[in-house]
Amino acid sequence: MMEVVVPQALIDRRSPVRLLVSGGGSGGHTFPAVTVVRAAREALGGHGLELQPFWVGSEGGIEAGIAADEGVPFTAIPTGKLRRARNPLAMISAANIRDAGKVPAGVTEAISAVRSIRPDAVLCTGGYVSVPVGLAARVCRRPLLVHEQTVWVGLANRITMRGATRIALSAEPSMALLPERLRERAVVTGNPLRAGLGDGDAGAAPGRLGWTGWSPSLPTVYVTGGSLGARQINELVAQILPDLLRYANVFHQAGSQMADSALALAETLPADLRARYMVRGFVGDELADVLALADVVVSRSGGGTISELTALGKPSVLIPLIPTGGDEQVRNADHLAGRGAARVLTGEDATPARLAEELAALLADPARRAEMSAGARSLGRPQAAATLTSEVLGLCAADAS
């Protein structure tokens, strides 16, 4: 297992390492920052050094709570969101105009925060709040690393990368999307997995989950739309569930706001089928065991999701969220499909009949699932956390030397 590289310049300096991170709006932007903070703390601690992390995020964003849980001092700044549309005229909206007015204040407060914190390096992981922080790092001449989680480079990161000292990408195809002048600053690190996600135990999973109706003679499907769930996925699965349960176990993360409807559907199933169907609104520490148990995953295709699927080698049926900025979920899904690691259902293909067809074919063919697993692993970067953290500490050392 790869370890984080702590540069000798930091070891010789002995003083605390000050790292400012920024990114938010979704778990996909916040988890990589959290992972780097944790990994850097551990690596520096092994040399008797201290990490002093700071987080600059948006008011009311999920990053505020995450920073608090990690014991990271948090500074909130105003930030605006650009609501994109295929028709440029539709972007001229009251909400966009209102949020545009927040940008100057956000930049001013970000510059103040960077000057006050005086970080050895700044890490931006995307989301609109990272734009003023990235600009502030450039104004204050602080080393800046920008990390992109998806195959398609997001708008916020495209802006921030212009002033980056170092650019970290999650997938090789992203390199071709960068302007030529930025490629020499870029490296493919992968997207860090959440801690412990690769340590799941399939054999122990049913007992730990309390899943008494799980059948060891049948394959297991894990259906997820993320912590909030995905209505489209839930509705598709609901329509094929009785037939699917005749030849598979199904663990369904329905989302905290939609679990009740899934549980109500479960009550209408015959007893033998009901036992093979487990519904949860949210999956916490059990996720590693759920993924280890799963033979096939049905999910969206956000950056974090495809990083997990590829690192763990999981065959999948992906139903991208549309529309998203740049249709990045479609691009992520196509990236996996191109290596035979996933099947993709979009647009008119995202029907109950097609989902049932894809799952039936995969669940009936272990050899095909093994090929898809190998394809997924060929794209995975399970050492991404160590690689990205090493890059960040390298910038801290460059500033220290």
Side-chain angles (χ1 to χ4, degrees):
M1 183 174 180
M2 177 181 172
E3 294 184 355
V4 174
V5 176
V6 179
Q8 190 64 43
L10 294 181
I11 298 172
D12 293 341
R13 192 182 72 172
R14 305 305 304 170
S15 58
V17 176
R18 300 171 70 85
L19 174 64
L20 189 155
V21 302
S22 183
S26 70
H29 294 311
T30 53
F31 286 131
V34 169
T35 303
V36 168
V37 167
R38 290 176 178 174
R41 273 177 171 158
E42 181 177 354
L44 291 170
H47 293 274
L49 301 174
E50 178 189 359
L51 177 72
Q52 292 183 346
F54 304 84
W55 200 309
V56 176
S58 58
E59 299 170 320
I62 65 168
E63 59 269 27
I66 291 173
D69 290 343
E70 296 296 320
V72 178
F74 184 83
T75 300
I77 63 171
T79 182
K81 177 180 180 180
L82 176 62
R83 296 158 184 83
R84 284 173 282 177
R86 297 188 185 278
N87 180 357
L89 293 177
M91 294 171 61
I92 305 174
S93 65
N96 276 345
I97 293 172
R98 181 184 65 247
D99 277 8
K102 298 178 182 178
V103 173
V107 173
T108 299
E109 293 189 25
I111 291 173
S112 177
V114 172
R115 284 176 174 164
S116 174
I117 292 168
R118 293 175 288 106
D120 293 299
V122 176
L123 168 65
C124 286
T125 56
Y128 290 97
V129 71
S130 69
V131 174
V133 177
L135 293 173
R138 186 174 185 179
V139 169
C140 298
R141 299 183 182 277
R142 294 290 83 198
L144 169 65
L145 188 147
V146 176
H147 178 257
E148 174 57 55
Q149 295 88 50
T150 68
V151 175
W152 180 254
V153 182
L155 176 60
N157 277 348
R158 291 204 302 274
I159 296 170
T160 311
M161 282 176 178
R162 298 170 188 169
T165 313
R166 194 76 164 143
I167 297 168
L169 304 173
S170 293
E172 194 67 46
S174 303
M175 191 72 74
L177 300 176
L178 299 183
E180 187 70 36
R181 64 183 182 82
L182 296 183
R183 292 178 195 173
E184 62 182 20
R185 307 180 209 169
V187 60
V188 180
T189 62
N191 192 15
L193 293 179
R194 284 173 275 183
L197 206 59
D199 300 328
D201 186 338
R208 290 176 180 170
L209 294 167
W211 196 356
T212 57
W214 178 82
S215 173
S217 64
L218 297 176
T220 298
V221 178
Y222 172 38
V223 178
T224 177
S227 60
L228 296 179
R231 189 171 302 279
Q232 179 191 24
I233 291 177
N234 288 352
E235 291 175 351
L236 290 173
V237 169
Q239 294 183 63
I240 68 170
L241 188 60
D243 287 337
L244 179 59
L245 287 168
R246 298 184 191 284
Y247 54 88
N249 304 290
V250 178
F251 186 102
H252 186 182
Q253 181 182 347
S256 56
Q257 299 176 1
M258 290 179 272
D260 287 347
S261 60
L263 288 167
L265 173 62
E267 293 303 320
T268 68
L269 297 169
D272 58 330
L273 300 186
R274 168 71 183 90
R276 292 202 288 270
Y277 180 48
M278 174 165 272
V279 178
R280 291 281 182 86
F282 175 78
V283 181
D285 294 339
E286 319 98 314
L287 180 57
D289 292 334
V290 172
L291 283 168
L293 186 64
D295 294 287
V296 176
V297 177
V298 177
S299 73
R300 294 297 197 200
S301 51
T305 297
I306 64 166
S307 297
E308 294 166 1
L309 294 175
T310 56
L312 299 176
K314 290 296 172 180
S316 58
V317 178
L318 300 176
I319 305 172
L321 175 64
I322 303 173
T324 53
D327 284 342
E328 69 266 15
Q329 287 211 7
V330 174
R331 296 171 188 269
N332 290 342
D334 288 345
H335 178 52
L336 269 63
R339 288 290 185 92
R343 300 292 295 171
V344 181
L345 302 182
T346 59
E348 295 181 355
D349 283 338
T351 65
R354 278 298 313 279
L355 178 58
E357 177 186 341
E358 295 291 353
L359 286 173
L362 286 174
L363 296 172
D365 192 345
R368 185 181 179 195
R369 295 201 305 271
E371 291 177 0
M372 292 181 73
S373 179
R377 289 187 187 279
S378 73
L379 296 171
R381 292 181 179 268
Q383 308 301 327
T387 305
L388 179 59
T389 305
S390 296
E391 290 287 342
V392 170
L393 292 181
L395 280 193
C396 293
D399 188 58
S401 60

